[in-house]
């Protein structure tokens, strides 16, 4: 099975799709794809987000589509049923980790402190999301963690921006950074797809 970092190859930003509807989800993902990206994460935070995930998979079949904000086993099952290519969570519990490691698609469980990392590590997880990245200690935290958990790679998300992404991407235990700044709710409300495309292009340039 591929891991998430392999799915991300050639892409250093994992853009979040916050979809108010399936139709708008497709437009957002299409704009991201036009910005040169081949993978997006649909966060399951709106009533329509599961439908949006399935609709994006159908409309843009060459895109790999992750499901984010997976909080429990039921959401995990729904995301897999909707066609998620990989799974992202904001946090970990033993119950969730047990389901994640046997769910059949790559996963990046969310961690925010050394004990979370140790727990996920026990389940064999070697790629994790640091969330909320800036509030959890940011790049300095990941640098310190790298000395201890030498074979774990991270996708920091939460407070990452165009201005600070370089601090993370300079670390050899970061494979991509995640964020919503490349598709703001304002741009989506305005239908400003060009702004999303340009922000994705900029975010995917070496920092
Ligand atoms: C996430 O879902 O990972 C975060 O809420 C994204 O954080 P951001 O909006 O600061 O990018």
């Amino acid at each position: 099975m591929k891991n998430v970092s392999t799915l991300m190859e050639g892409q250093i930003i994992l853009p979040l799709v916050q979809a108010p509807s399936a139709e708008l989800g497709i437009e957002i993902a299409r704009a991201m794809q036009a910005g040169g990206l081949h993978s997006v994460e649909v966060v399951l935070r709106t009533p329509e987000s599961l439908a949006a995930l399935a609709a994006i998979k159908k409309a843009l079949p060459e895109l790999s589509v992750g499901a984010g904000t997976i909080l429990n086993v039921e959401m995990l099952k729904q995301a897999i049923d909707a066609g998620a290519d990989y799974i992202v969570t904001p946090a970990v519990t033993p119950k969730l980790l047990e389901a994640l490691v046997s769910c059949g698609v790559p996963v990046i469980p969310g961690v925010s402190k050394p004990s979370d990392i140790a727990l996920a590590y026990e389940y064999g997880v070697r790629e994790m999301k640091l969330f909320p990245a800036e509030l959890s200690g940011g790049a300095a935290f990941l640098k310190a963690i790298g000395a201890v958990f030498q074979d774990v790679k991270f996708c920091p998300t939460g407070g990452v921006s165009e201005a600070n992404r370089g601090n993370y991407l300079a670390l050899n235990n970061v494979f991509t950074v995640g964020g919503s700044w490349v598709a703001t709710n304002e741009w989506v409300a305005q239908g400003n797809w060009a702004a999303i495309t340009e922000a994705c292009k900029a975010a995917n340039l070496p920092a």
Side-chain angles (χ1 to χ4, degrees):
M1 187 170 71
K2 283 188 173 174
N3 50 29
V4 175
S5 64
T6 312
L7 291 175
M8 282 311 126
E9 256 163 25
Q11 185 170 321
I12 52 175
I13 163 77
L14 175 55
L16 301 194
V17 177
Q18 307 185 75
S21 69
E23 292 71 25
L24 287 172
I26 294 171
E27 294 298 338
I28 298 165
R30 201 194 306 278
M32 291 169 168
Q33 193 176 32
L37 306 186
H38 56 76
S39 186
V40 303
E41 176 192 335
V42 177
V43 290
L44 302 190
R45 289 181 210 169
T46 63
E48 294 298 314
S49 50
L50 260 183
L53 196 167
I56 293 167
K57 288 285 302 169
K58 197 166 171 203
L60 306 168
E62 59 289 0
L63 211 54
S64 91
V65 185
T69 324
I70 302 296
L71 302 176
N72 53 44
V73 176
E74 193 192 342
M75 287 179 80
L76 173 63
K77 286 193 180 122
Q78 290 172 339
I80 303 273
D81 286 349
D85 293 303
Y86 58 95
I87 299 292
V88 186
T89 81
V92 286
T93 67
K95 192 172 171 184
L96 184 56
L97 278 164
E98 198 176 312
L100 285 169
V101 297
S102 58
C103 77
V105 300
V107 298
I108 40 173
V111 295
S112 69
K113 55 186 191 294
S115 56
D116 292 343
I117 300 169
L119 176 65
Y121 197 93
E122 273 184 3
Y123 282 82
V125 177
R126 296 293 181 269
E127 294 184 352
M128 307 177 193
K129 159 173 162 162
L130 176 68
F131 177 78
E134 281 289 286
L135 292 174
S136 305
F141 172 81
L142 285 180
K143 195 171 175 196
I145 281 298
V148 184
F149 294 97
Q150 297 183 354
D151 55 348
V152 179
K153 298 238 178 294
F154 295 89
C155 172
T157 308
V160 182
S161 65
E162 188 60 39
N164 66 14
R165 70 188 174 103
N167 300 340
Y168 291 100
L169 290 164
L171 301 174
N172 59 15
N173 59 348
V174 169
F175 62 92
T176 188
V177 297
S180 63
W181 85 90
V182 293
T184 65
N185 290 332
E186 195 186 353
W187 291 339
V188 173
Q190 295 164 346
N192 191 352
W193 314 125
I196 295 175
T197 298
E198 288 315 308
C200 287
K201 272 187 201 165
N204 205 32
L205 291 173

